[in-house]
Structure formats: structure tokens, C-alpha cells
Amino acid sequence: MPNNRPNTYAPPRWPQKVLAWFCPARLYETISGDLLEKFEEEVVTLGLKKAKRNFTWNVLRFFRPGIVLRNKMSYPLFNTMLWSSFVKSAGRNVWKYKTNSLVNILGLTLGIVCTLIIAMIIRYESSFDSYHSTAHNIYRIVRVSQVEGQTEYRTGVVNPLATIISEEIPALKNITAMSYHRNSQFDIIEAKKNTRSFREDEGCAFVDSSFFEIFDFKGTPFKWLAGNQESALTDPNTVVLTRSIAEKYFQSLDVLGRTLKFEKMLDLKVTGVIEDLPSNTDFPFKVLISYATFQQFQGDRFMTEWHAVSDVHQSYLVLPEGTDKVEMERQIAQVHATHVPKELSEMRSYMLQPLHEVHNDPRFGNYNLRTVTPQSIWALGIIGGFLLIMVCINFINLSTAHAITRSKGIGIRKVLGSTRWQVVGQSMTETLLIIIIATAIAMLASNLVLSQIQSLTRAKITHAIYADPFIWICLVVLAVAITLLAGLYPALSLSQYRPIQAIKNTFDTKVRNGLTLREILLVTQFTIMQILIIATFIAVKQMHFFKNVDMGFNKDAVVNVEVPQGTSKDKLDAFQNDMLSFSSIDQVSFSLTLPSGLKRPKWIWEIRRKDDNGSENLGFEYQSVDHNYLDLYDIGLLAGRNFTESSDRDQIIINQTLSSKLGFTTPEEAIDKKVIVMDETITIIGVIQDIYTNSVKNELAKVALMVWPDNYRLASIKLNIPDDASAMYDDLEQSLAYIEQKWNNHFDGSVFSYSFLDDNVQAFYEEEARITNLFQVFSLVFLVIGCLGLYGLVSFIAQKKTKEVAVRKVLGASISQILLLFSKDYMKQIAFAFVIAVPVAYYFMSEWLNGFAHQIILHWWYFVLPGVFVLFTALLSVSGTTWRSAIANPTESLRNE
């Protein structure tokens, strides 16, 4: 009904528009007339403002099923017969165009499987220790040192720090200290039974009673199975076991009151049993000994030591709500400054690191010895997004290519009365059907693939993925996203053609400057593919560099064996003599730790020159070694001499970096100079070449060697390994058997375990190698998806040009000319994609390599070789597809035509 009333008495416009939208045409005039009459009356009785408000409310009251479902729009929306027709027609089309459907389903399946795997990796790596009740307020105290303009990042804090700051900073109520120990031996001593011994390479930790107050593992299967959480770890010589350890040691969970002997030194009483900690924690604890035991074990000297520090001794705290992190760091710095000399407090700072960064910050690391950087997480997410783009591009290319074949049917549908939205609905139904098939196959394949590559993904899968709600959410999101991204454009393109244009196949798919959408999408697809393949190739070269770089010492054929703590020198000498009497053993050396390797303890001490009172203390990595150490590891002396068998703690050998940091201009200048180490005066007798005690990713460390036999915990055994592969294996087996036999003779009751130094060094790069391997897998998937799309596209075009090929062959064209006809345009597009990909890959890989202290040089062929590989693979795909058309008999082709 027209509204001729003055504007000052007109009802609001938007409710009238809403009413016109949902109200059936045959009811609109009556309903709107009644509403306007009601509005006019209320203007007089209630006033204009209230009348407008009531008019809006009355319009909204008519929005109900009895009105809406009678709207003319409701019939196509709820017409089940129409949707049934869509589904049947979609099924026929999927079956009719088998090649097109198969290529789409294979590509979608690959994309969905890989995207699911990426989603699970990202979820797993992002979930570490995120479930604790106060996780957002938990911080780790980390150590940051400034030495001559360089910053050192360390996790360890001095032993007394946690106790002192909790006493002197009243706001800190929740703080916990812990110390992690590897290669720990436990003996089960029971009456009337033989002693059973176990060695735990990982999982032994000293924790205090507040540990489980801060880390409550809420929302995980963790719980206390026996014992009291408040008191189980309060007293010295008490221990809490996880379920798996209790069953391993005692074959039962009823173990309260039982006794373990730790390192043949301390008797520990079992006071609790807990469920195994979840896999997504950076506290991989299995045997938890009370921190009071650690204090007793270390003694008063180390528990009050503010200089020496070990990276395995860490502290965490809960920052009270509303407390400023920077202000708390300032207060901790004040406490630290009151207990150490001025130069140490200026050099060393204690900062607060949020708990969520512990798993992501490689500068500090964690007890798992594994970090995943945010950049790696983002890179995986970007790859997942690119995978979706790739499969969508394939689908769009094939769908638009097949539009010519489908055009006559669409034209007839429109002539018979189908609306544009019905054509869209038909096309989207077909897309959805293909995606449902691909999703179902991907669901089955994902479970199998994940079980095979868990070591590569590190995501712990304890149940079938179809039982995980997260997977179903991902599948639904992926299905909807791919349906919209891949299906909507082809559907809209098909629906926009006029009937006569569709029937005559007179399409124009040009976008700009003669380029078609398929050409643009193909260039985009191969650009993404080549960026990833170039990046993967460069990452593999960097990993190869890590594996083969000269670390300054010889790590080959060295077996490392833990020796019991406190072993006398006479017993070590007897073991060494037995080792050297075996022909396959070349040298033996004893030390506190390894020269390098991920799984090794590290101690940071401080040193300064005695002849310079103004010199500052420098932190250095302390290593206790014997006189055979340098020869066994082939570490070269730059000046001075090696230790002798009679050397004592008053002599020290430093590396070249530490020598220069101490102010010596040449290695020779340092010889016979006095230095102060841990308040003791020591003479420098030698300077060795720099060695990589940490990974090649980091700067060279400052290292010093001393002779301290009481601290020897490791025997390094250098083997004579023959060059012949079969003989090498047999000789290695015999050597290990001999070492174990002599070990048992000399260290009866100690569990024998060994490792190879080169494996330990290689563990530095395990995470980068894992990510690189994942990138290699995804690069292969990208290549397969790209070639699948190219195969489907060229197959269709070859089929459409059967007559043209036959005519060309009749006129004298050769097979090579036919192959060139089909491939030249695609090769140009792939080459153009390469030109775009190179600068992008160069930028991102340069940024990635800048994160390493030592890196490869980016040669030009690092980019060309992957590009040629992609071009050659694409050429094979195109040539293999068109070969059948090129060799077909032209007579048969023309007769069929």
C-alpha cells in the first residue's frame, strides 16, 4: 500500500523493508495496511516516538513460521523433490565423467589427509602445558648474561635462588625448584630376592612439594593413585613413581613404603604413585624424588653457591594476579644483587619466561630437549592453507574446462525454466558429493598414515582418529571450505551463461590481456609448488651442512659408557687397562661429560684473570677430563701442553675463544698466566682450538678443561673399525660384547648402557631434520597434486582436440610436433611461475638461514635445480597424457568424429 502521509508521521523504513522481504505477496498488502492504520492511531494517542517503536515490534511479531513458510521463496528452499533431482543428477555426472571425478577425488583426498595431519601436529605442539589451572600466570626463571656485547641465554638458576627470593619477596607465595637427571640407576632390594637394577635414561627429577600445586595437569588423565599430594615429597629420601615405573619395578601399584636405592648411594622410600604425565608436557618426569633429598645430596656448599650453575636446575613461579612482570624481575634482580659481587649482578640477570614459551623458545630449551618455534608452526599452517588452495585450483580448472561439455545440458535446463540459483544448486551438489567421497576416503587413510608417521609428526595418537571430536570438526570445516572455495566459482560461471550462448558453446573465459582464469590459476599453483620445493631443497642442504661440518674434534667410532659416581681411580685404571688389551679398542678416556652432544650435562663456572683486578668474571663451560682426552678426540693444541697423568686441579686448559675473551692477544700469551676459578688460583698450561660444544646453530662457547678425577662420570672408548662393511658390523658387535663383559667384572651391580657420540651430536638437529622431512613429504604431495591437475586438464583438452590432432597428422605433423602442441603453453606458464617463485623463496630462506650462526651460501643452482625438476616432472605428466592422442590412428579418429 502506498504511503502518502507526511514524512513526520511516516513509520520507520527498515521494518517495512523487512516485512516486504519475508511476507508472501498475497498477504503483504493486507498486513502492511493494518500495521499502518495501527501506527496512525498510536501517533495520536501515544506519540510519534512510541508509535514507531510499536510499529517495529509489530512487524517482528509477524516473523513466524506460519507467515514465512508461505513465502514464495520457501518452495525452492524446501522442495525435497528438487534436491533429490540434484543428488541423482550429480551422481550421474560423477559417474559419467570418470577421469575428471577420479582426478578431483584423488587430489582432494591427498589434500584433506595432509591438512588433517598438519592440523593435528599444530594442535599437539600448541597444547604443551596449556592445561594447568594457572598456566597463564606461570613463569620460568631464566638466566640471561651479557658478556662483551654478546647475550647468552640459559635455563639454569643457582641452587639457593628459589628459596631466597621466596623469603625476601613476600608477594611470591608459589615457587618451585627442580633438578632433572639423566642416566640414573635404581636398585630394588628385597629380602629373599635378588637385587633388580634399572637404568632410566630419562625422567628422573628432584622436585619439591609445591610442584603439583603449580602444575596440577587439570583436564588431563593425571591423578594421584596412592599417597598424599601435600606430604609425599616433603621429607628427604622420599620418592613418587608414575604408574608405568611402579609396574615396571614392582609389577604392582601397591608400592607405598617400598624402597629404591638411587645411584647405589641413597635409600628412597616410595610415598606416592601418580598416573603417567601426559605426553604434551615439557616435564617428562617418571621418578620424582623429593627436593629435600637433592639438598642433602648436594651438600651445604652447592646449596649456598651463587656462582656455579647447572642448566638442569630450574625454578618456576606463579605470578600473583595484577602483578607486573617487569616489576617482579626488578625485585628478583635486587635480591640477586645483595648475594653476589657487583660485577656478577651486572653481568647476569634473571628474567621471567611465560610457560607457553617454554616449548617454543630454542634459546633456552626445556627438559624434553625439543622446541618447536612459532615460525615452524606458522610454516606448517601456511602449507596447510596452500594445500587447500592447490586442490581448489585443480577443481576449478577441471570444472571450468568441462564447462564446454556441460554447457548444452545447462542451456536446455534454462530453456525449460530452471533459474540461475537452481543451476548453482545443481553444480554445488555435485561438488559436495565429490568432497564427501574424498572426505570419507581421507578419514580412512588418515588413521593409517598417522600410525605410520608418528615418529615424524611427534603427535601422540592414543586412539582412532574417528573417535576424536577435533577431527570431525576439522572435516566439517574442510568440507564446507573446499565446497565454497572450489565449487562456488564454477557454479556461478556455469549459471551466468544465457541459454543460447550455452547451447552454442560460445564462451569467453578471458580475464585480462588474453589470459584465461585457468592460466592464472595454473601459474599460481606452480608458483606455490616451486616455492616449497626450492625451500625444501635449501633446508636439506643446510641439514647436510650440519651433519658434515668440522666440529673441531673427531666424533667417529666413539662409544660412551656411564661409570658409577664416586668410582676410585684404581678401579678406573683397571677398567682402562682391560679395554686397551682388546685389539679393536684404540684409546680410553674418562671425563665428566662429552665434548658435545644434546644429551649431556653442562656446568657453567666463572673465570677471571688474576693479574687484572679490573677484569670481569666470564662464564665458561667447565669440563673435567683426564690426560687422554685431547688425544682420543683429536683436539689440537694451539699453544702450551696437554695434561699429564700426575696433573692436578691447579692446572687448566682453555679454548681459543675463552683465551681471547680473557684479553690474551695470542694463544702463546696465555700460557703460564694465573686465573681465578671458583675462588681458586689456577695456571693456564694450554690453549686448544675451538670446538662446537653446542650445535653449529649457535656461536662457539667458552670452554675450559680441568683434571678432577672425583667428577668422572663417563668413559669414552675409541674403536678401531675396519673399512669393510660386513667386517665392521661383526667387529662392532664383538667390541660391544667385550666392553659389557669387562664392565660387569669391574662394576658389578651397575647397569651397563652405552651410546655413540655421533648419534648424540646428531640429536642437536633432530627437530630441524624432522621439519625438513615433513617439508619433503609435503613437497612431494604438492607435486603430485599439481601433476594430477595438469594430467586431468590435458587429458580433457586432448580428448576435445582429437579431430584437430588427426587432421594435423594427415597433413604430416610428427609425434614430437603433436606433443609440443600440447606442452608448449604449459611449459611457458610453469617457467613464468618459476620466475615469480625464485625471489620469494630467496627472501624467506635467507631469513630462515639467518637464524643459524653458521649457514650455507645460497648458490644460484639451489634455485635452478628444483625449478628444472618441476619443469621436467610437469613435462612428463603432459607428454604421458598426450602420447595416446599423438600415436592414435588418424583414420579411426576422423571416422569416429
Side-chain angles (χ1 to χ4, degrees):
M1 174 183 291
N3 181 13
N4 297 321
R5 294 170 177 76
N7 288 335
T8 53
Y9 295 98
R13 290 184 176 274
W14 72 264
Q16 296 182 70
K17 294 181 179 180
V18 171
L19 180 66
W21 172 72
F22 72 77
C23 187
R26 61 185 180 279
L27 301 178
Y28 175 72
E29 186 174 354
T30 302
I31 293 175
S32 62
D34 292 342
L35 290 174
L36 289 172
E37 289 179 6
K38 180 73 171 175
F39 171 77
E40 187 178 76
E41 294 174 1
E42 290 183 345
V43 168
V44 177
T45 58
L46 302 176
L48 180 61
K49 186 175 181 180
K50 192 168 185 179
K52 287 184 176 182
R53 188 164 59 244
N54 287 346
F55 180 84
T56 302
W57 171 244
N58 289 330
V59 169
L60 295 178
R61 288 172 61 192
F62 277 101
F63 191 79
R64 54 181 185 265
I67 300 295
V68 176
L69 294 181
R70 282 187 278 176
N71 194 317
K72 61 182 179 181
M73 296 178 62
S74 67
Y75 292 105
L77 290 174
F78 297 96
N79 192 328
T80 56
M81 292 183 64
L82 182 63
W83 284 107
S84 176
S85 171
F86 285 173
V87 172
K88 290 178 181 178
S89 180
R92 285 194 297 267
N93 287 331
V94 169
W95 182 254
K96 181 178 180 181
Y97 305 107
K98 297 183 183 67
T99 301
N100 179 49
S101 300
L102 183 61
V103 169
N104 277 328
I105 290 172
L106 285 177
L108 288 169
T109 300
L110 266 177
I112 293 172
V113 168
C114 292
T115 305
L116 277 180
I117 292 173
I118 289 173
M120 294 194 70
I121 294 173
I122 292 176
R123 179 182 67 157
Y124 179 74
E125 299 294 356
S126 302
S127 68
F128 272 68
D129 291 303
S130 61
Y131 33 71
H132 305 295
S133 298
T134 57
H136 61 290
N137 282 334
I138 298 177
Y139 292 82
R140 177 171 65 174
I141 306 177
V142 293
R143 190 174 84 255
V144 181
S145 301
Q146 300 290 337
V147 181
E148 296 186 356
Q150 293 185 351
T151 304
E152 294 181 349
Y153 301 93
R154 299 286 185 177
T155 56
V157 299
V158 294
N159 291 349
L161 183 67
T163 302
I164 296 301
I165 64 176
S166 65
E167 292 174 354
E168 300 187 13
I169 303 178
L172 286 181
K173 301 299 182 184
N174 291 338
I175 185 169
T176 185
M178 63 193 73
S179 184
Y180 191 63
H181 287 249
R182 295 181 173 85
N183 294 309
S184 302
Q185 179 166 325
F186 295 93
D187 298 316
I188 314 300
I189 304 175
E190 297 179 326
K192 299 181 181 179
K193 292 185 178 180
N194 294 328
T195 299
R196 289 175 290 121
S197 301
F198 301 89
R199 180 170 292 279
E200 299 301 332
D201 295 333
E202 307 286 345
C204 175
F206 293 92
V207 302
D208 62 23
S209 56
S210 62
F211 176 82
F212 288 107
E213 295 176 9
I214 295 177
F215 304 102
D216 57 7
F217 298 92
K218 187 176 182 181
T220 72
F222 169 80
K223 61 182 178 180
W224 281 76
L225 303 175
N228 184 282
Q229 176 178 328
E230 286 73 25
S231 61
L233 291 168
T234 302
D235 299 327
N237 300 329
T238 55
V239 62
V240 171
L241 307 179
T242 58
R243 174 195 287 271
S244 59
I245 292 295
E247 292 176 343
K248 175 182 176 180
Y249 289 0
F250 301 102
Q251 297 78 49
S252 171
L253 297 181
D254 184 17
V255 297
L256 294 186
R258 307 288 280 272
T259 301
L260 299 177
K261 183 175 283 293
F262 172 65
E263 294 288 4
K264 294 189 172 296
M265 299 173 62
L266 298 177
D267 288 335
L268 306 176
K269 179 183 177 181
V270 179
T271 55
V273 180
I274 58 176
E275 194 63 70
D276 289 346
L277 301 186
S279 63
N280 55 338
T281 179
D282 285 311
F283 303 101
F285 301 160
K286 299 184 290 185
V287 181
L288 295 85
I289 307 172
S290 66
Y291 191 76
T293 310
F294 174 76
Q295 295 172 317
Q296 187 182 77
F297 185 62
Q298 290 289 304
D300 293 338
R301 176 186 175 187
F302 283 98
M303 293 311 299
T304 57
E305 172 59 55
W306 283 84
H307 292 75
V309 61
S310 171
D311 283 343
V312 297
H313 185 270
Q314 302 181 13
S315 290
Y316 287 77
L317 58 82
V318 178
L319 204 62
E321 292 287 350
T323 304
D324 182 64
K325 170 177 170 287
V326 176
E327 171 60 22
M328 183 56 66
E329 289 175 340
R330 187 188 64 79
Q331 294 184 40
I332 293 174
Q334 288 181 340
V335 173
H336 179 241
T338 60
H339 291 83
V340 299
K342 181 181 178 182
E343 61 271 15
L344 179 57
S345 66
E346 292 175 349
M347 179 191 75
R348 179 187 292 176
S349 301
Y350 288 105
M351 315 298 289
L352 298 181
Q353 180 190 35
L355 179 63
H356 66 83
E357 293 182 4
V358 171
H359 189 66
N360 304 123
D361 195 339
R363 298 176 303 171
F364 296 104
N366 51 56
Y367 287 142
N368 274 329
L369 301 178
R370 187 178 78 87
T371 58
V372 179
T373 63
Q375 291 82 1
S376 297
I377 298 294
W378 275 103
L380 285 174
I382 291 171
I383 288 176
F386 281 161
L387 275 171
L388 289 181
I389 293 173
M390 290 279 284
V391 297
C392 290
I393 287 175
N394 272 1
F395 197 96
I396 292 172
N397 278 341
L398 291 174
S399 297
T400 53
H402 278 258
I404 299 175
T405 305
R406 306 277 301 279
S407 61
K408 291 185 179 180
I410 293 169
I412 293 172
R413 279 178 175 270
K414 285 197 167 187
V415 168
L416 295 177
S418 291
T419 65
R420 180 182 181 185
W421 295 110
Q422 286 176 334
V423 174
V424 170
Q426 169 63 57
S427 180
M428 293 294 285
T429 303
E430 186 175 325
T431 300
L432 184 60
L433 179 61
I434 291 175
I435 291 172
I436 289 174
I437 295 171
T439 303
I441 298 173
M443 189 65 168
L444 298 173
S446 296
N447 206 44
L448 178 62
V449 172
L450 277 172
S451 64
Q452 298 298 318
I453 63 170
Q454 278 204 45
S455 61
L456 186 61
T457 64
R458 288 290 183 94
K460 305 296 183 183
I461 310 299
T462 58
H463 53 268
I465 63 172
Y466 53 76
D468 189 346
F470 173 78
I471 295 298
W472 288 104
I473 294 173
C474 286
L475 285 174
V476 171
V477 171
L478 285 174
V480 172
I482 295 173
T483 301
L484 294 176
L485 291 173
L488 193 57
Y489 175 79
L492 292 174
S493 297
L494 289 171
S495 65
Q496 72 180 353
Y497 299 133
R498 297 173 182 175
I500 189 65
Q501 183 187 32
I503 293 173
K504 289 185 176 181
N505 291 340
T506 55
F507 297 159
D508 182 13
T509 59
K510 298 287 189 292
V511 176
R512 179 175 291 182
N513 298 329
L515 291 175
T516 67
L517 177 67
R518 287 199 300 279
E519 291 171 338
I520 295 173
L521 292 178
L522 192 67
V523 170
T524 302
Q525 189 178 44
F526 275 87
T527 299
I528 294 171
M529 181 196 306
Q530 291 188 89
I531 290 172
L532 182 61
I533 291 176
I534 292 172
T536 301
F537 184 79
I538 293 173
V540 169
K541 299 297 291 184
Q542 180 68 19
M543 291 302 104
H544 184 266
F545 170 77
F546 284 154
K547 290 180 180 179
N548 296 281
V549 68
D550 181 10
M551 298 191 69
F553 62 91
N554 190 344
K555 63 181 182 295
D556 298 329
V558 177
V559 178
N560 301 120
V561 182
E562 292 277 342
V563 299
Q565 187 171 358
T567 302
S568 66
K569 186 177 185 303
D570 292 340
K571 183 172 285 191
L572 292 178
D573 289 342
F575 177 70
Q576 182 181 40
N577 291 334
D578 273 352
M579 292 295 99
L580 294 176
S581 65
F582 191 65
S583 61
S584 294
I585 295 177
D586 184 37
Q587 290 175 294
V588 178
S589 173
F590 296 104
S591 60
L592 173 62
T593 185
L594 300 170
S596 184
L598 183 65
K599 296 181 179 180
R600 69 185 185 100
K602 290 185 287 186
W603 284 266
I604 306 300
W605 286 11
E606 290 175 353
I607 188 173
R608 63 181 174 85
R609 292 178 59 170
K610 185 177 182 179
D611 59 3
D612 186 358
N613 293 329
S615 65
E616 62 179 8
N617 283 321
L618 298 177
F620 72 94
E621 184 176 327
Y622 156 76
Q623 295 187 7
S624 177
V625 303
D626 66 5
H627 63 285
N628 297 313
Y629 187 85
L630 297 184
D631 292 336
L632 185 144
Y633 286 110
D634 196 19
I635 300 174
L637 273 166
L638 301 178
R641 62 177 177 83
N642 190 7
F643 297 116
T644 65
E645 194 169 356
S646 60
S647 292
D648 205 348
R649 288 173 53 182
D650 62 347
Q651 299 175 348
I652 190 171
I653 295 176
I654 61 178
N655 73 336
Q656 187 176 5
T657 295
L658 180 54
S659 174
S660 63
K661 295 297 183 183
L662 287 170
F664 301 116
T665 55
T666 64
E668 290 77 12
E669 183 185 348
I671 304 305
D672 295 329
K673 295 297 190 298
K674 304 293 184 181
V675 291
I676 306 296
V677 177
M678 301 291 288
D679 298 327
E680 296 184 11
T681 300
I682 300 176
T683 303
I684 300 174
I685 65 168
V687 178
I688 59 172
Q689 66 186 26
D690 284 330
I691 63 173
Y692 287 99
T693 57
N694 299 309
S695 77
V696 184
K697 297 179 291 184
N698 306 117
E699 297 288 348
L700 289 164
K702 302 179 289 293
V703 180
L705 312 179
M706 298 174 63
V707 175
W708 197 342
D710 293 342
N711 278 356
Y712 293 160
R713 292 299 306 275
L714 193 78
S716 298
I717 303 170
K718 180 74 172 180
L719 303 180
N720 289 318
I721 302 297
D723 295 332
D724 181 66
S726 59
M728 178 179 65
Y729 178 79
D730 294 338
D731 197 70
L732 180 61
E733 289 291 310
Q734 293 175 9
S735 298
L736 292 176
Y738 178 82
I739 295 171
E740 183 174 8
Q741 177 191 348
K742 295 303 178 182
W743 167 273
N744 292 329
N745 291 343
H746 290 279
F747 307 106
D748 184 30
S750 296
V751 178
F752 174 76
S753 67
Y754 69 91
S755 62
F756 289 97
L757 178 61
D758 53 355
D759 290 338
N760 202 345
V761 171
Q762 199 56 46
F764 275 132
Y765 318 108
E766 184 177 344
E767 195 59 31
E768 284 82 5
R770 185 180 71 89
I771 296 295
T772 300
N773 289 336
L774 276 175
F775 278 24
Q776 287 178 286
V777 172
F778 293 134
S779 296
L780 179 61
V781 170
F782 270 66
L783 191 61
V784 170
I785 291 175
C787 290
L788 267 177
L790 201 58
Y791 172 85
L793 196 59
V794 176
S795 295
F796 175 76
I797 293 173
Q799 184 180 4
K800 298 302 293 182
K801 291 188 175 183
T802 302
K803 185 177 180 179
E804 178 186 341
V805 170
V807 172
R808 286 178 179 271
K809 291 190 71 175
V810 169
L811 295 176
S814 64
I815 292 177
S816 59
Q817 289 174 324
I818 299 296
L819 294 178
L820 182 63
L821 170 70
F822 283 101
S823 60
K824 62 179 181 180
D825 289 337
Y826 295 111
M827 296 305 105
K828 289 178 182 178
Q829 293 162 24
I830 294 171
F832 182 60
F834 173 75
V835 172
I836 299 173
V838 166
V840 177
Y842 177 83
Y843 172 77
F844 284 108
M845 295 314 294
S846 296
E847 291 294 314
W848 180 70
L849 290 173
N850 286 338
F852 304 127
H854 304 275
Q855 57 189 255
I856 59 173
I857 298 173
L858 291 177
H859 299 290
W860 61 269
W861 59 272
Y862 287 2
F863 301 89
V864 173
L865 195 60
V868 171
F869 172 72
V870 171
L871 189 67
F872 179 72
T873 306
L875 183 61
L876 283 179
S877 179
V878 173
S879 300
T881 306
T882 57
W883 180 260
R884 183 177 300 176
S885 298
I887 63 173
N889 188 336
T891 304
E892 294 294 328
S893 301
L894 292 174
R895 180 186 300 157
N896 293 333
E897 191 67 27

